[in-house]
Amino acid sequence: MLPPAEISSELLAQAVDQSLDGITISDALQPDMPLIYVNAGFEKMTGYSADEVLGKNCRFLQGDETAQPSVAVLREALERGEGCIVILQNFRRDGTPFWNEFHVSPVRNADNIVTHFIGVQKDVTARVKMLNHLRQSKRELLLANTKLSVLAQTDGLTGLNNRRHFDEQLQTLLGMAQRSGDSIAVLMLDLDFFKQFNDRYGHPAGDDCLIRAAQVLAEAFKRPGECVARYGGEEFSVVALNMSAEELEQYAQLLCNKIRALGIEHTVSTHGVVTISIGGISLVPNRDTTPASLLKLADAALYEAKAQGR
């Protein structure tokens, strides 16, 4: 094996000066660690000539961006006499920003005292921009997925939960009641003579009527353990934990009164204004209770309410 060839100091100096990366040397024994050497790569990267920067601390490249977290990391490493790698936002002589991957290494003398710091600067602007673009794309994707998730659970007209989400919540709350032994209530609500309302006043008025009714329901059922939804057409549904039969009856009467109090004209109805019919069931479920059975009982109660005069 041949012995390694000796490298002259002239060759080393030429290699450092012609490196594409910016290379700097700071004097660690002088106040504020001024630059004592910069290579041609530094001049090309920053736009500053050696004559303009020698004797200055390298921090001037940061401009007004001195509060960067990476600056604190760099400062602490220099104070400890250690090396580090940081990415800094720097500014060229013409004011344009660039991202600088800054490698700093200490040089120690025979007494283990740091006498100089060697800095190697790489322009990583393209890489940082790509990473920022990927992060932004990821945020936008997460936001879009969140919006899609909300849309998948929401009725487009009223803003209430839709039937799909209600069915999921009913299954979840029923499971909770079965495990805890608490009661669960399910209500089905229907706007009376709604087809005749649409025929008399038109579908835009019908949509507005549904929206106003939905607002009343949303305000009434917004506690944890409750879910209200537009179940289809003019029909709404509610599930609530820990609601007794007495409380269910009180809520039902209150909702009937609030919908009637909206005063939405409905001359085809025997009441003269828009009203609702409500059927509900409250029970402590057993292991065999299913969402379908609860809905069937509530629907039967609604049918009975309508049969008894709405």
Side-chain angles (χ1 to χ4, degrees):
M1 184 174 179
L2 295 175
E6 291 187 6
I7 300 177
S8 67
S9 58
E10 181 181 352
L11 177 59
L12 283 173
Q14 186 178 9
V16 169
D17 192 59
Q18 294 184 6
S19 170
L20 294 178
D21 294 329
I23 297 177
T24 62
I25 301 176
S26 300
D27 191 335
L29 298 179
Q30 292 189 45
D32 208 28
M33 300 184 190
L35 292 170
I36 61 172
Y37 171 81
V38 296
N39 72 342
F42 175 92
E43 293 179 312
K44 183 176 180 180
M45 182 185 301
T46 66
Y48 289 97
S49 67
D51 291 340
E52 292 177 292
V53 301
L54 293 182
K56 296 182 179 180
N57 185 287
C58 203
R59 77 170 69 88
F60 76 90
L61 289 175
Q62 298 161 19
D64 294 330
E65 299 296 324
T66 56
Q68 302 174 59
S70 297
V71 172
V73 174
L74 174 61
R75 185 186 304 114
E76 291 174 6
L78 295 177
E79 290 174 353
R80 293 193 301 266
E82 299 175 353
C84 70
I85 302 174
V86 293
I87 295 180
L88 302 167
Q89 185 177 37
N90 286 166
F91 295 87
R92 298 185 174 89
R93 192 177 190 281
D94 62 6
T96 58
F98 71 100
W99 289 97
N100 174 16
E101 185 179 271
F102 194 30
H103 299 236
V104 181
S105 303
V107 177
R108 300 178 182 272
N109 62 15
D111 296 323
N112 202 35
I113 296 174
V114 177
T115 60
H116 299 83
F117 281 100
I118 307 298
V120 179
Q121 301 181 338
K122 296 178 180 292
D123 186 342
V124 293
T125 303
R127 186 208 308 172
V128 171
K129 284 183 176 181
M130 180 182 69
L131 290 174
N132 288 339
H133 175 71
L134 290 174
R135 291 191 189 101
Q136 181 63 27
S137 297
K138 184 177 180 180
R139 284 193 292 268
E140 291 174 354
L141 180 61
L142 288 173
L143 181 60
N145 286 337
T146 301
K147 289 181 178 179
L148 286 174
S149 179
V150 171
L151 288 173
Q153 299 175 357
T154 305
D155 175 63
L157 175 64
T158 65
L160 293 179
N161 297 302
N162 60 19
R163 180 170 181 166
R164 174 185 175 185
H165 186 57
F166 178 83
D167 289 341
E168 292 173 352
Q169 289 297 102
L170 176 57
Q171 180 73 57
T172 299
L173 295 175
L174 173 59
M176 293 172 62
Q178 288 170 322
R179 290 189 295 272
S180 65
D182 294 324
S183 63
I184 186 170
V186 176
L187 295 81
M188 301 297 290
L189 307 87
D190 191 90
L191 294 179
D192 297 324
F193 304 109
F194 190 69
K195 181 180 184 303
Q196 292 87 335
F197 183 92
N198 273 334
D199 292 342
R200 172 68 177 81
Y201 299 99
H203 288 282
D207 288 347
D208 182 67
C209 179
L210 289 170
I211 292 170
R212 293 178 66 184
Q215 290 170 345
V216 171
L217 296 176
E219 185 64 29
F221 299 99
K222 57 183 180 181
R223 296 175 300 181
E226 297 179 344
C227 178
V228 57
R230 183 185 180 195
Y231 208 63
E234 70 273 22
E235 193 172 43
F236 300 89
S237 53
V238 177
V239 58
L241 286 179
N242 296 312
M243 179 180 286
S244 66
E246 292 77 15
E247 290 174 319
L248 185 154
E249 187 174 353
Q250 292 172 4
Y251 263 94
Q253 189 59 57
L254 179 65
L255 290 173
C256 286
N257 293 340
K258 285 191 172 184
I259 296 297
R260 187 189 296 266
L262 292 175
I264 303 173
E265 181 183 293
H266 190 358
T267 56
V268 182
S269 170
T270 56
H271 302 289
V273 294
V274 169
T275 58
I276 57 172
S277 295
I278 303 177
I281 179 69
S282 174
L283 52 77
V284 176
N286 57 39
R287 289 189 308 171
D288 298 327
T289 304
T290 64
S293 66
L294 292 173
L295 289 170
K296 185 176 180 179
L297 289 170
D299 199 53
L302 173 61
Y303 181 82
E304 183 179 350
K306 285 187 174 292
Q308 292 180 0
R310 293 175 170 83

